[in-house]
Amino acid sequence: MDKALTYSVALISQLLLFTGGRSLAQEATMKHYTVKDGLPSGTIYSMLNDSKGYMWLATDAGVSQFDGHKFTNFTLSDGLSDNEVIKIAEDSKGRIWLLGFSGTLSYYCNGKFFNPSNDTVLKKAKINGTYIYFFEDREYRLWFSTYGNYTIIDSNAVKIIEGSKEGIHGEGIVMNYSGGDIGILAPLSGNGIQGENCGLFVYSSMGRIRHILKYNKEYRSRFCYLPDGSVLFVSPEGIARQKDTAQQLILPITKELANTKIYGLSYSSDNLLWIETKDKGIYCYNYNDLSAAPKRYLENKGIADMAEDNEHNIWISTFGEGVYLLPAGYKNINNYYCGNYEKHNVYCVAKDKKGNIYTGHDGATVNVLKSGASSMLPFKKKEMRFDNTRVNSLLIHEDDIWIGTDDNLVHVYNPYNMGIKVRNLLHTDPGAKNMLTPAFGVKDLAWNQNNLLVCTGAAIYVPDTSVYVNNLFKPINKPDKRYYCVYADKKGIIWYGASNGLYSYNGAGEINHASESIYLSNNIYDIGETADSVLVLASYGYGLLFYKEGKLLQHLTEADGLSSNLCRKVFVQSNNIYVATASGATRIAYSNGHIDAVKKFTTANGLLSNNMNGVYADDSEICFATQEGLTVLNTRMPEIKIAAPPVYITGITEKGKELLQDSNYVFSYNQNALQFSYTGISYRLPRDVIYQYRLTDGQVWMETKNTSIDIPYLAPGIYHFQLRAKISNGPVSDARSFYFTIEPPFWKTYWFAALCAVSFIILVIVIARYLLWARKQSDLEQLKIKDQVAYLEQQALQAMMNPHFIFNVMNSIQHYINNNEKHEANLYLADFARLIRMNLDISSKRYIPLDDEVAYLELYLSLERIRFGQKLTYNIAIDPGIDGDETLIPVMLLQPFIENAIWHGVMPKKENGHVQVDIKKEESGMIKIIITDDGIGLPVAKENTGAGIKTHQSKGMKMTQQRLDLIGKITGHSLYIHITDAFPGEHYKGTTVEFILPSDLS
């Protein structure tokens, strides 16, 4: 769409017409790459978009590979044959050929450069001259031409055609000829034939055939091949097309092109012919209509080459000024700068019914774009009261225009007629009544049925219907907050946004809607309305809000695809909602409460800036008001579809060691830290490339925008690293793969686990057998102990009745008989018999109840008292807490000690003696037995009785201690016997014997 500046309304104090106003100048939006961005040089001779999607740039300081993110530069040290590369091309095998100025060839393949020093074929192809053109014929032979000679590489064979010997003068064009032959179009060498100009030399199996042709190729001007195999070249007469021997002049030389040097021709997939010039920039012709005026880009610059990438972006290289990128879809976009003014800001945009576009700027300037001739609106100084302020708002209704600035509001009547009238609606006199006041300026304008609504920073104004004067207004609210916008819905209700939220006015009063939702309590910058009467609110912080009848229906944020939550303006057009934000514009496809699609518009789409101030749209175009100028997007042209970007793994390292991507690596368990570098190629939207990766099949894809992944730890296992890419919400590319395995440490391997399992089983068996053996040994030990106890019990039984005791008893019985004391003898004999019977009863038992033991001791002591009379007294005391019937003690454990107390303690005394037996229960649950006598004591008894009694006592003590030790082993208790003096400070020291026994021997 060609548009020219039509007129400029410069709202400053000028008398009539403005001739030096700040008009809008049209210019294409391009990305510009220079040495500051990483290029090795600003002069780029040749460019190539290879089959993988990379851009290659041949310069006078090496070559550069570009992926949209980073320039990777190569020179002689990397394997080039020459730093000054004139031409770069790719063959059908994917080899990137580099034609050096010094007459050498090199190529790049699979990450490595090949040159005459490491390739014998390239060594044979070295010439004295400069290679300038490359061609691969239908037989896959490679042709490299100089300014007169041709080098042919066929597999490993090299053949050189010398032009001077073939009658070819100067540089020629190699092409596929019909019938499988090869043709070379070149100037003829002088042979005296008049009118000979150009010849086509055809090489076939029949030999060389020369055809005389009319149009000759211009010296040192590049040509281009068309998809049908024909060639376009520059001749002195213009642009000619060559197919076999047929020639056609398709574009005669123009006066403008005749005044410059044409360096080359290029053809793009959208049927455009590009003409690169020495100092006039690049011309773009529609190949299907070469009679139409061309577009011109980069005027007054020297153009070296043009290339088209796989996204259909156009690359234009220059001599000394780097390379420019014209994004795909450039034909759909026109950009306009505010010329002759250091600020290009466009603050508002509107369109009238005739298609004229109005833009508001700084300097109280309104620019107008109109198809056709240029014209201007005349104003008189007295009609204008503008300072040098910015235009904030434009409202067009029917044939009238309202212009709101920081300090005025102007109504322009019928600008299409010469009788233009202007009136000021803003009053600067503080004493004026019913006039608009300029506090904080005019922020927004709206139309309500037949009335104008005005939003200033301090209040909302409506026409004052109480008086019949058109320019009188009255405020409908108090100046207690900051106001940003005003809107009248289909019902005539007035809505306005303020610094503290959303308000409405229905004629009766103001309604504050902030309490209905927290999102309605903050800055509302603009208001629109959909076809289903839903208010669309541009919130500066909360995104886009959809509101109806007191309810917040939807809330759209950055997470939903909005360019930014800082929304400045909203424009509703049919089923589309346009939102201008601080980070670009967004179009929302809306229908009956449903959001069908969300699309962003940014500089990647060709916009001048992402910092948006406003937007206007109709069925034919979208107008974006940005901080850098106006962008007009033609919506009738097909949109550029986003394709999946090519993605490549560029490097894999393991602790700094570079790995080959086509190998299946097996790493040890401590080689488990990998780094992956990769790139997704997009030149139009490089910042919108999203990478997805995973480490195993079936794993959820993880997303990142980083171009590398550092995985510090990987568990042992089999891995399949997969990487793919997409642009925003576009299609996903095919995945790139890298297979590798991390082996576990030997202690985590199956064989080691099996070995451990077998070892464990063996160990369990060994332990089990040992435990069984130990159990048997323990049982045997218990049996031995029991046998020993039985043996000792048998010994105790044998020693149970002291022979002296029996002898004395028998003497006592004899004494009673001799004295004819039959009754006493019978009683004594009966008690003795009962003692013997009890002895026999308990002799077969290991343990007896405590009560039985006490009964036995009572009988024994009673017999001893009959013998000794009043000289012997005794007492047996049992702790009440002891159950004598349930508590067991070893049989005949106490009797020997009581017998010793009587015979060796009490009886040697001259006085009477006493034996005390105490049986107590300890807190630990043990049974303590204490036998105490007040006899002569152990030392005296030993002196009186001699060695015989000592031996007897030692055996008894030893036997009792052994019995207690064996019982302790069985029960697990530590048992003892303690024998001490009972009364150490007395004459008769007495003796105390103390036992500790377990309470439960069952």
Side-chain angles (χ1 to χ4, degrees), residues 56 73 109 290 336 556 582 592 622 641 663 689 796 859 897 960:
W56 291 83
N73 300 322
C109 184
L290 293 171
Y336 302 90
L556 204 65
N592 296 323
I622 309 171
K641 294 184 179 180
S663 300
V689 176
L859 183 60
F897 292 93
T960 302

Side-chain angles (χ1 to χ4, degrees), residues 19-237:
T19 57
R22 291 172 288 277
S23 61
L24 291 176
Q26 183 178 353
E27 185 172 327
T29 301
M30 296 186 179
K31 293 181 182 179
H32 186 198
Y33 298 103
T34 67
V35 292
K36 293 181 179 180
D37 301 297
L39 279 171
S41 171
T43 297
I44 297 97
Y45 295 124
S46 177
M47 296 182 294
L48 167 72
N49 183 233
D50 69 17
S51 55
K52 293 183 177 180
Y54 289 101
M55 283 299 301
W56 291 83
L57 301 97
T59 78
D60 58 355
V63 296
S64 186
Q65 184 194 58
F66 187 48
D67 61 2
H69 307 280
K70 181 180 68 173
F71 289 95
T72 303
N73 300 322
F74 305 100
T75 61
L76 283 170
S77 60
D78 300 297
L80 297 184
S81 61
D82 194 339
N83 276 339
E84 188 166 8
V85 180
I86 302 301
K87 178 68 178 178
I88 188 165
E90 182 179 18
D91 65 17
S92 57
K93 295 180 179 179
R95 295 177 293 184
I96 308 300
W97 287 90
L98 310 169
L99 285 60
F101 181 79
S102 62
T104 57
L105 298 174
S106 58
Y107 67 87
Y108 177 86
C109 184
N110 295 327
K112 181 180 178 181
F113 284 98
F114 296 85
N115 54 56
S117 64
N118 59 16
D119 190 292
T120 56
V121 174
L122 299 181
K123 186 175 182 180
K124 297 176 184 178
K126 190 177 185 308
I127 61 168
N128 294 323
T130 300
Y131 286 117
I132 55 176
Y133 301 127
F134 167 89
F135 178 74
E136 183 174 15
D137 64 27
R138 58 172 63 94
E139 301 297 329
Y140 306 109
R141 292 170 297 196
L142 306 182
W143 295 68
F144 301 90
S145 59
T146 68
Y147 290 110
N149 299 326
Y150 303 88
T151 299
I152 306 170
I153 297 179
D154 187 2
S155 297
N156 294 325
V158 177
K159 178 182 178 181
I160 297 178
I161 298 176
E162 296 184 24
S164 59
K165 295 181 179 180
E166 297 288 331
I168 302 173
H169 178 70
E171 61 196 63
I173 303 173
V174 183
M175 65 184 74
N176 287 318
Y177 193 76
S178 60
D181 299 330
I182 297 297
I184 300 177
L185 177 68
L188 300 175
S189 57
N191 56 7
I193 301 177
Q194 296 294 326
E196 284 191 351
N197 224 346
C198 181
L200 179 65
F201 297 84
V202 179
Y203 290 84
S204 68
S205 59
M206 303 298 294
R208 182 176 68 87
I209 302 172
R210 186 179 70 172
H211 299 275
I212 307 299
L213 301 177
K214 179 179 180 180
Y215 298 111
N216 189 15
K217 177 183 174 298
E218 186 77 21
Y219 180 61
R220 291 195 175 183
S221 65
R222 284 200 290 259
F223 49 89
C224 68
Y225 296 97
L226 296 181
D228 63 356
S230 59
V231 179
L232 296 181
F233 62 92
V234 180
S235 73
E237 294 81 8

Side-chain angles (χ1 to χ4, degrees), residues 631-648:
T631 296
V632 180
L633 175 63
N634 186 344
T635 57
R636 292 178 177 174
M637 299 286 287
E639 289 190 13
I640 302 299
K641 294 184 179 180
I642 296 177
V647 63
Y648 300 100

